[in-house]
Amino acid sequence: RVASMRREGKEEEEDAAAAALPTLPTPQRIHVWQEMLLCIIAMSTSLALLVHTPQVKQHMPDLVCLVLLLLLGALCGSRVSFSRMYRAGVDQGVLIGCATVPILLLALLIRSPQHVHVIFFYLDLTIASSFLLLLDALRSSSFDKLYTRSLLLSFIVGYCFFLRFPWIPLFLSLPLPYCSSIIIRLLLNGSPRSFTLGEACILANVLTSLMVDMVSTSLDRLYSIRSPITREMSDVDLVVLCLIVGTFLTAVVMSPFVMCRDSTTPKRSSQHLETTSSAGRSLLFFSLFGSLILLVLVPSASTLLRQNLGLWVFDHVSSSYERLALLAYWVIVMGVCLKFYPPRHSSLPRTVIRKGYHVVALLLFCPGQLFQPEMLRLAYAAATALLVSLELIRASRIRPFSASLERVVAVHVDERDSGVFIFTHIYLLVGCALPSWLTPYQGPRGRFSILEPLAGALIVGVADPAASVY
């Protein structure tokens, strides 16, 4: 009788536990709610766009395609299988990768409705590219092969793109949506385990749009051939565009050095770094790197500027005492930071030390945005190009700098930085720079206009450290 009572009591406890399980918030349910929230944000942004800009009503099919893309990403994102090419230990963020750039373009359209046709061109291009990327990810998560069906589908999407924008020649519109698929293959195969699928999708869409903008601007400046998406661009914005596109092209050309490095040894071994890379390999790297910059990128930018790039930068910086004072301020702040931070023998957690650099970013960028926003936009692009170049040297194991860069980076990385490249610091810099880079696209401003270009620096420098500490 006692044994029977114990069995019945145990069965009742198991039934009660089983009944309580469905009410627990599992990680999968939390992820579903996050995806639903993102879809709601996109739909509410589209609704706000229709309310504030009545001329957008003629573009209703574009918004419908965006909603369908987000629903497809929400439904199929969990079915994308994990690959050794993706960054491990984190969610792949498929829906975020498909939705981030379109939501940014819609928000930008609310701010500047006069650019409705230009923004909807890039919106449709992003939707088509994200659709092809999502189908490729469902078919082959490694992105190491080009399938005939994928090419055929890309041509069908490209033809629809031609029907939507008939001013584009057919031979350009057919492969245009597939450019993002080519770029994402370069990113994932050239830097394995450095990106999630969502991050790679965002970068591929952004780089595709920037390269289209670069081609359109070049045709206008060199041959006076204007298209409906050609926009008036200042010299500062042109140099920023050249720096970003040139940095990506340089990384693509130099990627064989990263792919051919010795991967059989531990990644963080500084002693091995000094012996693996021979002097001949280092000489070849710097010769190719310098030739690409001095013989290709700088002359191309000088041609578009119609003057020497170096002289233009010198004139731009030295034309104002305020800019020289700002440059001196940046040098002093960075010198003090490199000398005294992080403090030696500190017992602070690694997370707190990393967030300290966010505060330093706030000190660097706020004065520039307040007093010299054009110079700050230029400095953002130059700093991004410099950080990517240093990361290329570190990841390629090029002596004599790779070991020192590896020691500096090793202090601040965590388990999420497991790939060949480490992009956390570059992501933070681009997050600060993006609102400032988008400033020329914006229309008339209100009383709080100073907060718009400062939004990135305030979020990275104040909100993110506060969320981490508290």
mmCIF file with all atom_site columns, all heavy atoms in Angstrom, residues 16-35:
data_model
loop_
_atom_site.group_PDB
_atom_site.id
_atom_site.type_symbol
_atom_site.label_atom_id
_atom_site.label_alt_id
_atom_site.label_comp_id
_atom_site.label_asym_id
_atom_site.label_entity_id
_atom_site.label_seq_id
_atom_site.pdbx_PDB_ins_code
_atom_site.Cartn_x
_atom_site.Cartn_y
_atom_site.Cartn_z
_atom_site.occupancy
_atom_site.B_iso_or_equiv
_atom_site.pdbx_formal_charge
_atom_site.auth_seq_id
_atom_site.auth_comp_id
_atom_site.auth_asym_id
_atom_site.auth_atom_id
_atom_site.pdbx_PDB_model_num
ATOM 1   N N   . ALA A 1 16 ? 1.934  17.056 -13.166 1.00 0.00 ? 16 ALA A N   1
ATOM 2   C CA  . ALA A 1 16 ? 1.928  18.497 -12.890 1.00 0.00 ? 16 ALA A CA  1
ATOM 3   C C   . ALA A 1 16 ? 3.089  19.195 -13.583 1.00 0.00 ? 16 ALA A C   1
ATOM 4   O O   . ALA A 1 16 ? 2.948  20.289 -14.140 1.00 0.00 ? 16 ALA A O   1
ATOM 5   C CB  . ALA A 1 16 ? 1.985  18.741 -11.376 1.00 0.00 ? 16 ALA A CB  1
ATOM 6   N N   . ALA A 1 17 ? 4.281  18.550 -13.567 1.00 0.00 ? 17 ALA A N   1
ATOM 7   C CA  . ALA A 1 17 ? 5.440  19.150 -14.240 1.00 0.00 ? 17 ALA A CA  1
ATOM 8   C C   . ALA A 1 17 ? 5.223  19.218 -15.748 1.00 0.00 ? 17 ALA A C   1
ATOM 9   O O   . ALA A 1 17 ? 5.571  20.205 -16.402 1.00 0.00 ? 17 ALA A O   1
ATOM 10  C CB  . ALA A 1 17 ? 6.701  18.335 -13.921 1.00 0.00 ? 17 ALA A CB  1
ATOM 11  N N   . ALA A 1 18 ? 4.639  18.152 -16.316 1.00 0.00 ? 18 ALA A N   1
ATOM 12  C CA  . ALA A 1 18 ? 4.374  18.156 -17.754 1.00 0.00 ? 18 ALA A CA  1
ATOM 13  C C   . ALA A 1 18 ? 3.357  19.210 -18.133 1.00 0.00 ? 18 ALA A C   1
ATOM 14  O O   . ALA A 1 18 ? 3.440  19.838 -19.193 1.00 0.00 ? 18 ALA A O   1
ATOM 15  C CB  . ALA A 1 18 ? 3.884  16.771 -18.183 1.00 0.00 ? 18 ALA A CB  1
ATOM 16  N N   . ALA A 1 19 ? 2.354  19.413 -17.258 1.00 0.00 ? 19 ALA A N   1
ATOM 17  C CA  . ALA A 1 19 ? 1.346  20.437 -17.550 1.00 0.00 ? 19 ALA A CA  1
ATOM 18  C C   . ALA A 1 19 ? 1.936  21.832 -17.473 1.00 0.00 ? 19 ALA A C   1
ATOM 19  O O   . ALA A 1 19 ? 1.471  22.760 -18.138 1.00 0.00 ? 19 ALA A O   1
ATOM 20  C CB  . ALA A 1 19 ? 0.167  20.299 -16.575 1.00 0.00 ? 19 ALA A CB  1
ATOM 21  N N   . ALA A 1 20 ? 2.974  22.009 -16.633 1.00 0.00 ? 20 ALA A N   1
ATOM 22  C CA  . ALA A 1 20 ? 3.572  23.335 -16.479 1.00 0.00 ? 20 ALA A CA  1
ATOM 23  C C   . ALA A 1 20 ? 4.563  23.658 -17.592 1.00 0.00 ? 20 ALA A C   1
ATOM 24  O O   . ALA A 1 20 ? 4.869  24.820 -17.827 1.00 0.00 ? 20 ALA A O   1
ATOM 25  C CB  . ALA A 1 20 ? 4.293  23.441 -15.131 1.00 0.00 ? 20 ALA A CB  1
ATOM 26  N N   . LEU A 1 21 ? 5.077  22.654 -18.287 1.00 0.00 ? 21 LEU A N   1
ATOM 27  C CA  . LEU A 1 21 ? 6.089  22.909 -19.305 1.00 0.00 ? 21 LEU A CA  1
ATOM 28  C C   . LEU A 1 21 ? 5.625  23.828 -20.425 1.00 0.00 ? 21 LEU A C   1
ATOM 29  O O   . LEU A 1 21 ? 6.365  24.712 -20.825 1.00 0.00 ? 21 LEU A O   1
ATOM 30  C CB  . LEU A 1 21 ? 6.569  21.577 -19.896 1.00 0.00 ? 21 LEU A CB  1
ATOM 31  C CG  . LEU A 1 21 ? 7.581  20.796 -19.034 1.00 0.00 ? 21 LEU A CG  1
ATOM 32  C CD1 . LEU A 1 21 ? 7.916  19.476 -19.719 1.00 0.00 ? 21 LEU A CD1 1
ATOM 33  C CD2 . LEU A 1 21 ? 8.842  21.605 -18.824 1.00 0.00 ? 21 LEU A CD2 1
ATOM 34  N N   . PRO A 1 22 ? 4.426  23.676 -20.989 1.00 0.00 ? 22 PRO A N   1
ATOM 35  C CA  . PRO A 1 22 ? 4.035  24.543 -22.102 1.00 0.00 ? 22 PRO A CA  1
ATOM 36  C C   . PRO A 1 22 ? 3.967  26.016 -21.754 1.00 0.00 ? 22 PRO A C   1
ATOM 37  O O   . PRO A 1 22 ? 4.025  26.850 -22.644 1.00 0.00 ? 22 PRO A O   1
ATOM 38  C CB  . PRO A 1 22 ? 2.653  24.008 -22.499 1.00 0.00 ? 22 PRO A CB  1
ATOM 39  C CG  . PRO A 1 22 ? 2.645  22.593 -22.027 1.00 0.00 ? 22 PRO A CG  1
ATOM 40  C CD  . PRO A 1 22 ? 3.441  22.615 -20.768 1.00 0.00 ? 22 PRO A CD  1
ATOM 41  N N   . THR A 1 23 ? 3.869  26.357 -20.487 1.00 0.00 ? 23 THR A N   1
ATOM 42  C CA  . THR A 1 23 ? 3.755  27.770 -20.128 1.00 0.00 ? 23 THR A CA  1
ATOM 43  C C   . THR A 1 23 ? 5.116  28.424 -19.953 1.00 0.00 ? 23 THR A C   1
ATOM 44  O O   . THR A 1 23 ? 5.187  29.624 -19.742 1.00 0.00 ? 23 THR A O   1
ATOM 45  C CB  . THR A 1 23 ? 2.971  27.903 -18.809 1.00 0.00 ? 23 THR A CB  1
ATOM 46  O OG1 . THR A 1 23 ? 3.672  27.206 -17.767 1.00 0.00 ? 23 THR A OG1 1
ATOM 47  C CG2 . THR A 1 23 ? 1.587  27.291 -18.959 1.00 0.00 ? 23 THR A CG2 1
ATOM 48  N N   . LEU A 1 24 ? 6.203  27.640 -20.008 1.00 0.00 ? 24 LEU A N   1
ATOM 49  C CA  . LEU A 1 24 ? 7.516  28.222 -19.804 1.00 0.00 ? 24 LEU A CA  1
ATOM 50  C C   . LEU A 1 24 ? 7.972  28.923 -21.075 1.00 0.00 ? 24 LEU A C   1
ATOM 51  O O   . LEU A 1 24 ? 7.779  28.425 -22.187 1.00 0.00 ? 24 LEU A O   1
ATOM 52  C CB  . LEU A 1 24 ? 8.525  27.120 -19.427 1.00 0.00 ? 24 LEU A CB  1
ATOM 53  C CG  . LEU A 1 24 ? 8.271  26.426 -18.085 1.00 0.00 ? 24 LEU A CG  1
ATOM 54  C CD1 . LEU A 1 24 ? 9.297  25.328 -17.877 1.00 0.00 ? 24 LEU A CD1 1
ATOM 55  C CD2 . LEU A 1 24 ? 8.291  27.405 -16.939 1.00 0.00 ? 24 LEU A CD2 1
ATOM 56  N N   . PRO A 1 25 ? 8.611  30.072 -20.974 1.00 0.00 ? 25 PRO A N   1
ATOM 57  C CA  . PRO A 1 25 ? 9.086  30.797 -22.159 1.00 0.00 ? 25 PRO A CA  1
ATOM 58  C C   . PRO A 1 25 ? 10.374 30.183 -22.688 1.00 0.00 ? 25 PRO A C   1
ATOM 59  O O   . PRO A 1 25 ? 11.460 30.510 -22.260 1.00 0.00 ? 25 PRO A O   1
ATOM 60  C CB  . PRO A 1 25 ? 9.319  32.218 -21.625 1.00 0.00 ? 25 PRO A CB  1
ATOM 61  C CG  . PRO A 1 25 ? 9.626  32.029 -20.177 1.00 0.00 ? 25 PRO A CG  1
ATOM 62  C CD  . PRO A 1 25 ? 8.856  30.816 -19.739 1.00 0.00 ? 25 PRO A CD  1
ATOM 63  N N   . THR A 1 26 ? 10.279 29.245 -23.598 1.00 0.00 ? 26 THR A N   1
ATOM 64  C CA  . THR A 1 26 ? 11.461 28.620 -24.178 1.00 0.00 ? 26 THR A CA  1
ATOM 65  C C   . THR A 1 26 ? 12.169 29.595 -25.103 1.00 0.00 ? 26 THR A C   1
ATOM 66  O O   . THR A 1 26 ? 11.565 30.547 -25.618 1.00 0.00 ? 26 THR A O   1
ATOM 67  C CB  . THR A 1 26 ? 11.058 27.369 -24.971 1.00 0.00 ? 26 THR A CB  1
ATOM 68  O OG1 . THR A 1 26 ? 10.192 27.768 -26.027 1.00 0.00 ? 26 THR A OG1 1
ATOM 69  C CG2 . THR A 1 26 ? 10.357 26.362 -24.071 1.00 0.00 ? 26 THR A CG2 1
ATOM 70  N N   . PRO A 1 27 ? 13.487 29.364 -25.374 1.00 0.00 ? 27 PRO A N   1
ATOM 71  C CA  . PRO A 1 27 ? 14.203 30.260 -26.283 1.00 0.00 ? 27 PRO A CA  1
ATOM 72  C C   . PRO A 1 27 ? 13.589 30.310 -27.670 1.00 0.00 ? 27 PRO A C   1
ATOM 73  O O   . PRO A 1 27 ? 13.610 31.348 -28.332 1.00 0.00 ? 27 PRO A O   1
ATOM 74  C CB  . PRO A 1 27 ? 15.617 29.640 -26.311 1.00 0.00 ? 27 PRO A CB  1
ATOM 75  C CG  . PRO A 1 27 ? 15.750 28.901 -25.020 1.00 0.00 ? 27 PRO A CG  1
ATOM 76  C CD  . PRO A 1 27 ? 14.375 28.397 -24.718 1.00 0.00 ? 27 PRO A CD  1
ATOM 77  N N   . GLN A 1 28 ? 13.011 29.173 -28.114 1.00 0.00 ? 28 GLN A N   1
ATOM 78  C CA  . GLN A 1 28 ? 12.409 29.176 -29.438 1.00 0.00 ? 28 GLN A CA  1
ATOM 79  C C   . GLN A 1 28 ? 11.211 30.115 -29.496 1.00 0.00 ? 28 GLN A C   1
ATOM 80  O O   . GLN A 1 28 ? 11.014 30.848 -30.461 1.00 0.00 ? 28 GLN A O   1
ATOM 81  C CB  . GLN A 1 28 ? 11.996 27.756 -29.810 1.00 0.00 ? 28 GLN A CB  1
ATOM 82  C CG  . GLN A 1 28 ? 11.434 27.644 -31.234 1.00 0.00 ? 28 GLN A CG  1
ATOM 83  C CD  . GLN A 1 28 ? 11.114 26.219 -31.607 1.00 0.00 ? 28 GLN A CD  1
ATOM 84  O OE1 . GLN A 1 28 ? 11.239 25.328 -30.774 1.00 0.00 ? 28 GLN A OE1 1
ATOM 85  N NE2 . GLN A 1 28 ? 10.701 26.001 -32.838 1.00 0.00 ? 28 GLN A NE2 1
ATOM 86  N N   . ARG A 1 29 ? 10.393 30.110 -28.408 1.00 0.00 ? 29 ARG A N   1
ATOM 87  C CA  . ARG A 1 29 ? 9.241  31.024 -28.398 1.00 0.00 ? 29 ARG A CA  1
ATOM 88  C C   . ARG A 1 29 ? 9.693  32.475 -28.331 1.00 0.00 ? 29 ARG A C   1
ATOM 89  O O   . ARG A 1 29 ? 9.111  33.349 -28.973 1.00 0.00 ? 29 ARG A O   1
ATOM 90  C CB  . ARG A 1 29 ? 8.365  30.702 -27.186 1.00 0.00 ? 29 ARG A CB  1
ATOM 91  C CG  . ARG A 1 29 ? 7.584  29.404 -27.360 1.00 0.00 ? 29 ARG A CG  1
ATOM 92  C CD  . ARG A 1 29 ? 6.778  29.148 -26.145 1.00 0.00 ? 29 ARG A CD  1
ATOM 93  N NE  . ARG A 1 29 ? 6.058  27.901 -26.227 1.00 0.00 ? 29 ARG A NE  1
ATOM 94  C CZ  . ARG A 1 29 ? 5.513  27.297 -25.203 1.00 0.00 ? 29 ARG A CZ  1
ATOM 95  N NH1 . ARG A 1 29 ? 5.626  27.835 -24.015 1.00 0.00 ? 29 ARG A NH1 1
ATOM 96  N NH2 . ARG A 1 29 ? 4.870  26.165 -25.346 1.00 0.00 ? 29 ARG A NH2 1
ATOM 97  N N   . ILE A 1 30 ? 10.732 32.741 -27.542 1.00 0.00 ? 30 ILE A N   1
ATOM 98  C CA  . ILE A 1 30 ? 11.241 34.114 -27.473 1.00 0.00 ? 30 ILE A CA  1
ATOM 99  C C   . ILE A 1 30 ? 11.712 34.557 -28.846 1.00 0.00 ? 30 ILE A C   1
ATOM 100 O O   . ILE A 1 30 ? 11.467 35.692 -29.282 1.00 0.00 ? 30 ILE A O   1
ATOM 101 C CB  . ILE A 1 30 ? 12.382 34.188 -26.443 1.00 0.00 ? 30 ILE A CB  1
ATOM 102 C CG1 . ILE A 1 30 ? 11.829 33.914 -25.035 1.00 0.00 ? 30 ILE A CG1 1
ATOM 103 C CG2 . ILE A 1 30 ? 13.058 35.555 -26.494 1.00 0.00 ? 30 ILE A CG2 1
ATOM 104 C CD1 . ILE A 1 30 ? 12.901 33.864 -23.977 1.00 0.00 ? 30 ILE A CD1 1
ATOM 105 N N   . HIS A 1 31 ? 12.395 33.672 -29.589 1.00 0.00 ? 31 HIS A N   1
ATOM 106 C CA  . HIS A 1 31 ? 12.863 34.009 -30.927 1.00 0.00 ? 31 HIS A CA  1
ATOM 107 C C   . HIS A 1 31 ? 11.682 34.286 -31.864 1.00 0.00 ? 31 HIS A C   1
ATOM 108 O O   . HIS A 1 31 ? 11.738 35.210 -32.683 1.00 0.00 ? 31 HIS A O   1
ATOM 109 C CB  . HIS A 1 31 ? 13.720 32.864 -31.457 1.00 0.00 ? 31 HIS A CB  1
ATOM 110 C CG  . HIS A 1 31 ? 14.291 33.125 -32.816 1.00 0.00 ? 31 HIS A CG  1
ATOM 111 N ND1 . HIS A 1 31 ? 15.214 34.124 -33.053 1.00 0.00 ? 31 HIS A ND1 1
ATOM 112 C CD2 . HIS A 1 31 ? 14.063 32.531 -34.018 1.00 0.00 ? 31 HIS A CD2 1
ATOM 113 C CE1 . HIS A 1 31 ? 15.532 34.134 -34.320 1.00 0.00 ? 31 HIS A CE1 1
ATOM 114 N NE2 . HIS A 1 31 ? 14.853 33.176 -34.937 1.00 0.00 ? 31 HIS A NE2 1
ATOM 115 N N   . VAL A 1 32 ? 10.613 33.502 -31.752 1.00 0.00 ? 32 VAL A N   1
ATOM 116 C CA  . VAL A 1 32 ? 9.429  33.723 -32.594 1.00 0.00 ? 32 VAL A CA  1
ATOM 117 C C   . VAL A 1 32 ? 8.810  35.081 -32.307 1.00 0.00 ? 32 VAL A C   1
ATOM 118 O O   . VAL A 1 32 ? 8.426  35.821 -33.220 1.00 0.00 ? 32 VAL A O   1
ATOM 119 C CB  . VAL A 1 32 ? 8.417  32.583 -32.382 1.00 0.00 ? 32 VAL A CB  1
ATOM 120 C CG1 . VAL A 1 32 ? 7.095  32.922 -33.059 1.00 0.00 ? 32 VAL A CG1 1
ATOM 121 C CG2 . VAL A 1 32 ? 8.965  31.274 -32.937 1.00 0.00 ? 32 VAL A CG2 1
ATOM 122 N N   . TRP A 1 33 ? 8.727  35.436 -31.018 1.00 0.00 ? 33 TRP A N   1
ATOM 123 C CA  . TRP A 1 33 ? 8.170  36.738 -30.661 1.00 0.00 ? 33 TRP A CA  1
ATOM 124 C C   . TRP A 1 33 ? 9.042  37.877 -31.188 1.00 0.00 ? 33 TRP A C   1
ATOM 125 O O   . TRP A 1 33 ? 8.532  38.917 -31.610 1.00 0.00 ? 33 TRP A O   1
ATOM 126 C CB  . TRP A 1 33 ? 8.015  36.841 -29.143 1.00 0.00 ? 33 TRP A CB  1
ATOM 127 C CG  . TRP A 1 33 ? 6.773  36.180 -28.638 1.00 0.00 ? 33 TRP A CG  1
ATOM 128 C CD1 . TRP A 1 33 ? 6.666  34.999 -27.967 1.00 0.00 ? 33 TRP A CD1 1
ATOM 129 C CD2 . TRP A 1 33 ? 5.423  36.666 -28.792 1.00 0.00 ? 33 TRP A CD2 1
ATOM 130 N NE1 . TRP A 1 33 ? 5.357  34.703 -27.691 1.00 0.00 ? 33 TRP A NE1 1
ATOM 131 C CE2 . TRP A 1 33 ? 4.566  35.713 -28.181 1.00 0.00 ? 33 TRP A CE2 1
ATOM 132 C CE3 . TRP A 1 33 ? 4.859  37.789 -29.383 1.00 0.00 ? 33 TRP A CE3 1
ATOM 133 C CZ2 . TRP A 1 33 ? 3.195  35.862 -28.147 1.00 0.00 ? 33 TRP A CZ2 1
ATOM 134 C CZ3 . TRP A 1 33 ? 3.489  37.936 -29.346 1.00 0.00 ? 33 TRP A CZ3 1
ATOM 135 C CH2 . TRP A 1 33 ? 2.673  36.986 -28.735 1.00 0.00 ? 33 TRP A CH2 1
ATOM 136 N N   . GLN A 1 34 ? 10.357 37.701 -31.161 1.00 0.00 ? 34 GLN A N   1
ATOM 137 C CA  . GLN A 1 34 ? 11.238 38.722 -31.708 1.00 0.00 ? 34 GLN A CA  1
ATOM 138 C C   . GLN A 1 34 ? 11.009 38.902 -33.205 1.00 0.00 ? 34 GLN A C   1
ATOM 139 O O   . GLN A 1 34 ? 10.981 40.029 -33.709 1.00 0.00 ? 34 GLN A O   1
ATOM 140 C CB  . GLN A 1 34 ? 12.696 38.340 -31.442 1.00 0.00 ? 34 GLN A CB  1
ATOM 141 C CG  . GLN A 1 34 ? 13.107 38.446 -29.982 1.00 0.00 ? 34 GLN A CG  1
ATOM 142 C CD  . GLN A 1 34 ? 14.511 37.937 -29.735 1.00 0.00 ? 34 GLN A CD  1
ATOM 143 O OE1 . GLN A 1 34 ? 15.106 37.268 -30.574 1.00 0.00 ? 34 GLN A OE1 1
ATOM 144 N NE2 . GLN A 1 34 ? 15.058 38.238 -28.576 1.00 0.00 ? 34 GLN A NE2 1
ATOM 145 N N   . GLU A 1 35 ? 10.835 37.798 -33.923 1.00 0.00 ? 35 GLU A N   1
ATOM 146 C CA  . GLU A 1 35 ? 10.581 37.899 -35.353 1.00 0.00 ? 35 GLU A CA  1
ATOM 147 C C   . GLU A 1 35 ? 9.239  38.568 -35.633 1.00 0.00 ? 35 GLU A C   1
ATOM 148 O O   . GLU A 1 35 ? 9.125  39.388 -36.553 1.00 0.00 ? 35 GLU A O   1
ATOM 149 C CB  . GLU A 1 35 ? 10.626 36.499 -35.972 1.00 0.00 ? 35 GLU A CB  1
ATOM 150 C CG  . GLU A 1 35 ? 12.011 35.877 -35.968 1.00 0.00 ? 35 GLU A CG  1
ATOM 151 C CD  . GLU A 1 35 ? 12.022 34.518 -36.634 1.00 0.00 ? 35 GLU A CD  1
ATOM 152 O OE1 . GLU A 1 35 ? 10.936 33.906 -36.719 1.00 0.00 ? 35 GLU A OE1 1
ATOM 153 O OE2 . GLU A 1 35 ? 13.091 34.077 -37.060 1.00 0.00 ? 35 GLU A OE2 1
#
